[in-house]
Amino acid sequence: MKSNWSVSSGGNPTTRGSGSVSPSTLSGTAAFTPSGVGHLTLKANPNIAGVNTASADLYITSVYVSVDNTFSISSPVDQKQQFVPGQYLDGTDVAVNVMEQAGQFASLHILTGPGAREP
């Protein structure tokens, strides 16, 4: 179902999170890109009469980058300082054909506050 997407934050300035969605207009999916820890609301507003807007309140406590696909939620390590475009962690180059076909692996892990649970 296609929706208009939005992200917002309000309330106490010291606990506001931030982020963006793309695309924000009529799309079945959207990419959420967090840019700051704290509280924010993500909304999907379907373009169908009688269907309510869905929203998710998020409290992001930490954002981690993983470059080698070894991220562990029980002992998180942020590898953003080690990420070099076109290079693996050991300093070797990512092959051009790998970059052209699949790209360089990197993942973003968003940790939420107490009480958060998987759907």
Side-chain angles (χ1 to χ4, degrees), residues 70-92:
T70 60
F71 185 79
S72 168
I73 195 168
S74 60
S75 57
V77 174
D78 189 8
Q79 295 178 324
K80 73 178 169 209
Q81 297 302 325
Q82 291 99 328
F83 177 72
V84 176
Q87 276 189 353
Y88 293 112
L89 284 178
D90 66 4
T92 59

Side-chain angles (χ1 to χ4, degrees), residues 90-110:
D90 66 4
T92 59
D93 291 340
V94 178
V96 173
N97 66 327
V98 172
M99 290 296 281
E100 290 175 343
Q101 297 298 315
Q104 181 178 3
F105 175 83
S107 62
L108 182 65
H109 300 269
I110 302 168

Side-chain angles (χ1 to χ4, degrees), residues 39-58:
H39 178 260
L40 52 96
T41 302
L42 178 63
K43 292 183 179 182
N45 185 6
N47 192 26
I48 298 173
V51 178
N52 294 332
T53 299
S55 67
D57 285 321
L58 306 173

